[in-house]
Amino acid sequence: MNIQQSAIKIRFAVKFVQAMKRLNKRRGMTMSMSTRYRATRAAACASMASAVGPQRAWSRAVLRKTKRRRFQAISKKRRLINPRREKLQEEDLRGLVPGGKGMEYCSLLSETAHYIKCLQAQIQVMSDILNHHSSSLN
Amino acid sequence: MSSRRSRSGSSRITEDQINDLVSRLQQLLPEMHNRRSDKKSATKVLQETCNYIRSLHREVDELSERLSELLENADTTQADLIRSLLMH
């Protein structure tokens, strides 16, 4: 694991745990299970994007959503042409990567790679937190 | 727009860039389906990448659900948690 990856994991872990604490404090108000689950997932994804910061297009896209800022419509109507055969799969991918719809094909591919690595890191940390709790409760 | 046969300098560079990025994505796919010696078509790589991202999203969903249940009962000690994660 390189240093950058470890740093991101730690930043993610800290932010995520902080967010869960805040969530926990809201326990006074009755929260349905589905609300709590959605809030947990939103906290996880926002924390990862925050840990990455504004250096990547996908994380900027997530942060824009979280901060509820009005998203500026893409004023330049650039034609994001991909004359290749994999047009269908490209569109599918655009729907899966945050901010994917406004990117050029090259950027989409590059952002996807970074996004996948961050998802893997996020999953690893969330599993670790879960396991840590399971073992400490037994 | 057949860029494959295009002779223009700029589209040639972009095509190589794209092929490079696609092969990097292939490297990220789970080992089971990825025999690194074989080069897959861009269509196949993108398709498998989409499936992989969907499965990662499902994992995050599952973990979020389990963690949100945990929240109801446990009291997270932040310092202990970070310490145990660093010792990994």
Side-chain angles (χ1 to χ4, degrees), chain A residues 96-114:
Chain A
L96 288 169
V97 176
K101 293 181 181 150
M103 294 177 196
E104 300 221 345
Y105 190 46
C106 258
S107 309
L108 175 68
L109 295 176
S110 162
E111 290 296 303
T112 300
H114 190 268

Side-chain angles (χ1 to χ4, degrees), chain A residues 1-2 13 29 48 51 71 84 127 129 133:
Chain A
M1 198 190 328
N2 64 41
M29 311 178 270
M48 185 39 111
F71 180 63
R84 295 156 177 279
S127 303
I129 293 174
H133 269 280

Side-chain angles (χ1 to χ4, degrees), chain B residues 37-84:
Chain B
S37 50
D38 296 358
K39 189 186 158 182
K40 293 182 180 160
S41 69
T43 310
K44 201 76 174 100
V45 173
L46 288 206
Q47 184 181 30
E48 293 188 12
T49 300
C50 287
N51 292 339
Y52 185 41
I53 292 179
R54 274 188 280 263
S55 78
L56 291 173
H57 283 170
R58 278 196 301 271
E59 264 195 86
V60 171
D61 288 349
E62 238 180 70
L63 289 166
S64 300
E65 201 171 326
R66 289 162 69 190
L67 279 166
S68 63
E69 284 170 9
L70 209 67
L71 256 188
E72 291 206 277
N73 307 310
D75 189 6
T76 337
T77 314
Q78 206 162 337
D80 284 350
L81 199 64
I82 306 301
R83 214 174 287 132
S84 72

Side-chain angles (χ1 to χ4, degrees), chain A residues 17 27 41 84 115 120, chain B residues 15 52 57 61 72 81 86:
Chain A
V17 169
R27 229 195 312 194
R41 189 183 55 187
R84 295 156 177 279
Y115 181 56
Q120 291 168 335
Chain B
E15 191 166 340
Y52 185 41
H57 283 170
D61 288 349
E72 291 206 277
L81 199 64
L86 286 172

